[in-house]
Amino acid sequence: MEQAIEFIEDHLADPISVEDVAKHAFQSRWHFQRIFRLVTGHSVYSYIKRRRLSEAGNDLMLTRERIIDIAFKFQYETPESFLRAFRKEFSVNPSEYRRGKEHRGLQRISVLRDRQREGVGKDALRTQMVVRGETLLIGRKYRTTMRQMRNETDIPAFWGDFFSRNVMAEIPDKADGAAMGVYFNWDIEENFDVLIGARVERFGKVPEGMEARRIAPAKYMAFTVPGNTNEDILRAWKYIYGVWMPETGYERGLADDFDLFDDRFARAENPESEIYIPLA
């Protein structure tokens, strides 16, 4: 992550893409976008855009460069597109901004220094490395996005829809009574699929409105998460990617990560769930 941010900072005036940054960080674009968002709180695209505008604001106040030249310098193809983006970020035109007395833009993020420690503590999460064989899953698929943190409200709503429809009862050949939420199919716009369902013994006839997914064998770190609220689970995800993984040095593998909710989740005392993160 530090290498990725350093690469961005060195190329704010160059035509770089999200793919360029992901390649420099030696990550697939799909997984890199998600990790970047969880660690920094920004999408890769929005971080690049806001840092360019912040540096443009510096140039406006510290130099006498023409506004059009500053716009072109930071990869805006037209003065109009720069004006729109600048107004959206700072609520004033560049010419007005230049006459101001103070510049407060987005500063370079240091993952090691600024990483948020929101969430459960390391003593609360229990971890265990496990190897899982092939998993066959059938369930209902939903689509959401990390833009504007919509996934944080969408995913609880997806689970509510799944249980209100009693989808579990319609899944054939269930291997057990646990429910799983699997996350995959990420695109450059930070959209991704959520498949909520159950592990099955075999793929027979998939009920109408459902989908089947095969999860390849992989090595995982299993996190036992205390609590059973949406906030408990969200804090755990943020802690895992924002603190635990950077501190331990583990690297994420390419398999799907997922939540698992079994009978422990509904316990009156000490409810728990599990999060599985694939390891390289």
Side-chain angles (χ1 to χ4, degrees):
M1 294 302 297
E2 284 287 345
Q3 290 176 353
I5 290 173
E6 189 68 33
F7 177 80
I8 291 171
E9 293 297 319
D10 289 343
H11 295 85
L12 289 175
D14 300 321
I16 59 172
S17 66
V18 175
E19 291 93 332
D20 295 330
V21 182
K23 288 177 183 177
H24 192 78
F26 308 106
Q27 294 280 333
S28 74
R29 184 182 70 190
W30 324 118
H31 298 309
F32 175 71
Q33 286 177 270
R34 183 182 190 189
I35 294 170
F36 193 94
R37 166 77 80 171
L38 288 167
V39 171
T40 69
H42 302 272
S43 71
V44 184
Y45 173 79
S46 68
Y47 180 78
I48 294 172
K49 179 181 177 181
R50 294 191 65 194
R51 284 292 298 126
R52 282 173 170 165
L53 289 170
S54 293
E55 291 302 305
N58 287 340
D59 285 359
L60 285 168
M61 297 195 73
L62 298 176
T63 76
R64 301 314 301 168
E65 286 186 74
R66 295 187 307 164
I67 292 175
I68 189 172
D69 292 334
I70 293 174
F72 291 152
K73 174 182 177 180
F74 289 105
Q75 301 302 306
Y76 285 89
E77 296 181 355
T78 66
E80 292 77 18
S81 61
F82 177 68
L83 174 63
R84 287 193 300 270
F86 198 91
R87 279 185 61 85
K88 185 175 181 180
E89 181 72 14
F90 297 111
S91 301
V92 295
N93 292 329
S95 56
E96 297 174 87
Y97 197 88
R98 171 165 266 170
R99 295 192 294 270
K101 296 182 179 180
E102 186 177 52
H103 171 54
R104 294 191 180 188
L106 176 67
Q107 299 305 305
R108 180 196 190 281
I109 287 176
S110 170
V111 175
L112 299 179
R113 184 191 66 223
D114 301 332
R115 185 169 64 247
Q116 294 182 355
R117 295 178 179 272
E118 172 191 2
V120 296
K122 61 184 178 182
D123 296 330
L125 278 180
R126 301 197 310 274
T127 61
Q128 182 179 15
M129 189 176 295
V130 299
V131 176
R132 291 177 62 99
E134 182 179 68
T135 299
L136 307 180
L137 187 75
I138 291 178
R140 183 173 290 274
K141 188 172 77 172
Y142 304 85
R143 188 81 169 157
T144 186
T145 181
M146 293 188 80
R147 296 194 308 275
Q148 300 177 333
M149 304 299 185
R150 271 181 43 195
N151 58 301
E152 294 185 9
T153 54
D154 281 353
I155 292 176
F158 298 159
W159 280 97
D161 177 77
F162 178 83
F163 285 114
S164 68
R165 293 171 180 258
N166 198 21
V167 177
M168 281 289 282
E170 301 176 19
I171 297 175
D173 302 317
K174 287 190 289 290
D176 51 44
M180 293 175 59
V182 183
Y183 309 97
F184 60 100
N185 198 22
W186 302 76
D187 67 22
I188 195 169
E189 300 297 330
E190 296 190 295
N191 306 308
F192 63 97
D193 289 333
V194 183
L195 184 65
I196 299 176
R199 189 169 66 90
V200 298
E201 298 285 0
R202 64 189 66 83
F203 283 156
K205 182 179 179 180
V206 178
E208 184 177 355
M210 296 191 202
E211 291 198 13
R213 183 164 182 83
R214 191 183 304 271
I215 302 175
K219 179 171 65 176
Y220 288 88
M221 187 64 74
F223 297 83
T224 301
V225 180
N228 60 2
T229 68
N230 296 327
E231 291 75 17
D232 293 328
I233 298 163
L234 179 61
R235 284 196 298 267
W237 278 103
K238 289 182 176 180
Y239 179 86
I240 291 166
Y241 276 114
V243 178
W244 183 88
M245 190 166 284
E247 285 189 348
T248 60
Y250 282 106
E251 294 186 8
R252 191 193 185 287
L254 297 179
D256 298 334
D257 47 16
F258 57 88
D259 302 290
L260 188 146
F261 305 98
D262 56 22
D263 55 3
R264 293 171 294 168
F265 188 71
R267 289 190 308 209
E269 295 184 5
N270 303 318
E272 296 176 332
S273 62
E274 288 187 326
I275 293 175
Y276 285 77
I277 306 294
L279 300 178

